[in-house]
Amino acid sequence: MKEKTQVDDINSSLYDFRYEEDESDMFESGITPQIIEEISQEKGDPEWMKEFRLKSLEIYNKTPMVDWGPSIEGLDMSNIVTYIRPKTRMQTDWNDVPDDIKDTFERLGIPQAERESLAGVGAQYDSELVYHNVREEVAAQGVVYTDLESAMHDKRYADMIKEHFMKLVPPTDHKFAALHGAVWSGGSFVYVPKGVHLDIPLQSYFRLNAKGAGQFEHTLIIVDEGAYLHFIEGCSAPKYYVASLHAGCVELYVRKNATLRYSTIENWSKNMYNLNTKRAIVEEGAKVEWVSGSFGSHVSYLYPMSILHGRGARAEFTGITFAGEGQNLDTGAKIVHAAPDTSSYMNTRSISKSGGISTFRSSVQVNKNAHGSKSSVSCESLMLDSESRSDTIPAMDIRTSQADIGHEAKIGRISDEAVFYLMSRGMTEENAKALIVSGFADNVSKELPLEYAVEMNNLIRIEMKGSIG
């Protein structure tokens, strides 16, 4: 079998497959009031949601384009399809999902993961969820895990959705938050009752199959007092030669003494603009843990934010970014210490090769009433060649003297001596470099769910095959 040496050749083996879309299912490209009303009508929105969408569109049209990160000039919103009619109603039996969609998720390993290690799974294909299921024993504990739109139309949860939807990330936050408010579709709603500790994770997987389209799922999670949840999110798309857009939104409410671990692996294709917004509010004694892996997309703007709102609230962010040829990944995290005795920790690794650009931004704000707060930021970057670039941009706004704040950053290249040593022990140059990179990323990969840690190491080896030869 011929050994492939180019990244593009190898990447297509797992994620770069697609099925032809029926163009009659695709709404007109662009963003107009008529399109927003058609989306709202298609989905049977309650009146308050229809008004929310139209108001968000007004905000979108008035808000300037984001300009603090990499250029997004290649993204022309007039060419983006914001909604694609589903091929099927959402199913709870995997056998009822259409064959082409089922084959897509089978190849991505979703049903197998559900059978082996997950408490529940949601699978979104283009604009809508096509499958959602939760184990009976989990539902018996009062855990709600369903698609957001079903919850919005369910009398048991409708008021909860209206109370929380886009309150943490308002449409006024930035232009793509406003866009999301106007065209959002799909996503998951999770509610974990007081004191319930889920020992096995829930997972949602988002697949964008269509060309020149956008995906705008909304994830809303409420973990009530003393409860525990691990939620896993995976994303991918096939490669096209036109721009695609991901502008989802995640809102996490972590109540008193609760813990929420939110793990994400994003492996979008390299024609994707990933402009996602994620935010958590953490109450007294509660904890949020973000674990993030960013491997795909042409351009990313991704900065999960934690608001430590109650005394003793805690936040941790663990992230890894791999920027290859043609990628400019601008990632990081934001922490707001808004209460006394709060603590936060960021630990990140970024890798860049073949001219890829990796930028890590950290923002730590300690309010004047947040006495006794502690924050530590550690970021390390590894460049694999002289063409690549890595930057660290910290921002700290400390408004009290009664706080303990630290920041550490390291940027370097692979040591020729280390590569030579490993080669002298019988390894090829390719395998020597891959081993060094995997070791560099090890303390992050061990925080990932097992199947994603394996995937991350495979991705590193794949990328390294394209770094020489």
Side-chain angles (χ1 to χ4, degrees):
M1 182 176 178
K2 178 178 176 288
E3 177 71 8
K4 298 179 179 179
T5 59
Q6 297 302 315
V7 172
D8 286 345
D9 292 340
I10 302 168
N11 272 351
S12 64
S13 63
L14 177 58
Y15 299 105
D16 195 17
F17 60 90
R18 65 186 73 107
Y19 290 93
E20 293 300 318
E21 294 280 351
D22 184 347
E23 293 191 3
S24 66
D25 293 332
M26 302 174 72
F27 274 34
E28 184 180 351
S29 60
I31 310 164
T32 66
Q34 292 74 26
I35 291 174
I36 303 306
E37 291 191 7
E38 287 178 17
I39 293 174
S40 186
Q41 182 177 358
E42 181 83 17
K43 302 171 81 59
D45 282 341
E47 189 63 26
W48 73 266
M49 180 55 75
K50 177 181 176 181
E51 293 175 359
F52 186 93
R53 289 184 185 275
L54 292 171
K55 181 63 177 178
S56 296
L57 177 62
E58 291 179 14
I59 296 169
Y60 171 81
N61 288 329
K62 295 176 183 177
T63 305
M65 189 63 72
V66 297
D67 61 358
W68 63 80
S71 170
I72 55 174
E73 290 180 354
L75 178 64
D76 184 350
M77 289 306 304
S78 65
N79 293 329
I80 296 293
V81 175
T82 54
Y83 184 76
I84 302 169
R85 289 187 181 92
K87 296 182 178 182
T88 178
R89 290 186 176 183
M90 191 188 71
Q91 305 294 337
T92 57
D93 186 334
W94 186 247
N95 294 322
D96 294 333
V97 177
D99 288 343
D100 57 343
I101 297 177
K102 187 159 56 177
D103 180 61
T104 295
F105 286 104
E106 290 279 5
R107 291 171 72 174
L108 294 168
I110 304 308
Q112 180 180 354
E114 176 190 23
R115 288 190 291 267
E116 293 179 355
S117 59
L118 298 170
V121 169
Q124 180 160 335
Y125 191 85
D126 290 333
S127 296
E128 297 287 3
L129 270 88
V130 295
Y131 174 71
H132 224 291
N133 198 17
V134 64
R135 291 189 182 184
E136 291 183 5
E137 62 268 29
V138 173
Q141 297 180 73
V143 175
V144 180
Y145 180 41
T146 185
D147 67 298
L148 187 60
E149 288 156 15
S150 293
M152 184 173 64
H153 289 94
D154 191 318
K155 291 181 180 180
R156 293 171 295 176
Y157 316 121
D159 289 343
M160 192 180 297
I161 302 300
K162 187 175 181 180
E163 178 185 353
H164 294 89
F165 182 82
M166 291 201 80
K167 294 299 193 297
L168 281 182
V169 184
T172 52
D173 205 61
H174 55 79
K175 192 172 184 70
F176 287 94
L179 173 66
H180 178 89
V183 302
W184 76 274
S185 181
S188 295
F189 171 65
V190 180
Y191 173 73
V192 183
K194 292 181 179 180
V196 173
H197 191 289
L198 278 185
D199 296 321
I200 48 180
L202 302 176
Q203 173 175 315
S204 285
Y205 200 96
F206 303 101
R207 175 71 173 180
L208 182 59
N209 181 71
K211 179 173 66 174
Q215 193 169 64
F216 308 96
E217 81 285 349
H218 192 98
T219 301
L220 175 60
I221 299 177
I222 302 171
V223 183
D224 218 329
E225 292 185 18
Y228 174 85
L229 170 67
H230 183 190
F231 190 87
I232 304 172
E233 175 186 70
C235 321
S236 70
K239 182 179 180 180
Y240 292 105
Y241 292 94
V242 296
S244 296
L245 171 64
H246 177 236
C249 182
V250 174
E251 296 184 291
L252 310 179
Y253 293 83
V254 191
R255 303 301 193 203
K256 183 178 179 180
N257 296 325
T259 298
L260 171 57
R261 186 177 180 90
Y262 196 97
S263 299
T264 305
I265 288 289
E266 299 195 0
N267 194 40
W268 298 112
S269 58
K270 293 181 181 179
N271 59 290
M272 178 72 75
Y273 288 81
N274 183 29
L275 311 176
N276 212 8
T277 306
K278 300 181 177 184
R279 196 161 296 166
I281 188 164
V282 190
E283 296 184 0
E284 180 182 346
K287 182 179 183 181
V288 65
E289 303 172 350
W290 301 92
V291 180
S292 177
S294 297
F295 299 98
S297 78
H298 173 54
V299 170
S300 278
Y301 283 58
L302 182 60
Y303 326 97
M305 180 179 183
S306 304
I307 303 169
L308 305 180
H309 191 256
R311 181 183 291 273
R314 295 167 291 161
E316 292 184 6
F317 176 84
T318 304
I320 183 165
T321 302
F322 199 127
E325 182 179 0
Q327 292 184 273
N328 194 332
L329 306 186
D330 201 281
T331 64
K334 304 176 183 178
I335 308 287
V336 177
H337 293 257
D341 302 321
T342 49
S343 62
S344 63
Y345 178 56
M346 299 185 206
N347 180 28
T348 69
R349 298 289 186 272
S350 62
I351 303 161
S352 52
K353 65 173 280 286
S354 303
I357 301 173
S358 178
T359 303
F360 173 74
R361 298 176 192 264
S362 62
S363 174
V364 177
Q365 178 180 316
V366 181
N367 293 350
K368 61 182 180 181
N369 67 320
H371 309 306
S373 293
K374 297 179 180 180
S375 179
S376 176
V377 180
S378 174
C379 52
E380 297 185 22
S381 301
L382 186 64
M383 294 177 290
L384 305 188
D385 51 54
S386 58
E387 302 171 3
S388 304
R389 176 172 172 175
S390 184
D391 295 303
T392 299
I393 306 175
M396 293 188 174
D397 181 0
I398 314 302
R399 305 183 186 186
T400 174
S401 60
Q402 300 178 47
D404 185 356
I405 311 297
H407 181 275
E408 178 184 13
K410 297 178 181 178
I411 297 178
R413 296 179 180 172
I414 287 183
S415 163
D416 290 338
E417 290 79 6
V419 174
F420 177 77
Y421 174 81
L422 292 172
M423 290 178 67
S424 72
R425 295 300 187 268
M427 298 184 73
T428 65
E429 181 179 358
E430 177 185 287
N431 288 337
K433 288 185 175 181
L435 181 63
I436 292 170
V437 172
S438 295
F440 174 75
D442 181 63
N443 73 326
V444 173
S445 65
K446 69 184 181 183
E447 295 296 328
L448 295 170
L450 178 60
E451 64 272 24
Y452 285 106
V454 172
E455 178 181 355
M456 189 196 81
N457 286 324
N458 286 336
L459 287 167
I460 287 174
R461 284 194 293 271
I462 285 170
E463 294 282 0
M464 294 306 298
K465 285 178 185 279
S467 67
I468 60 175

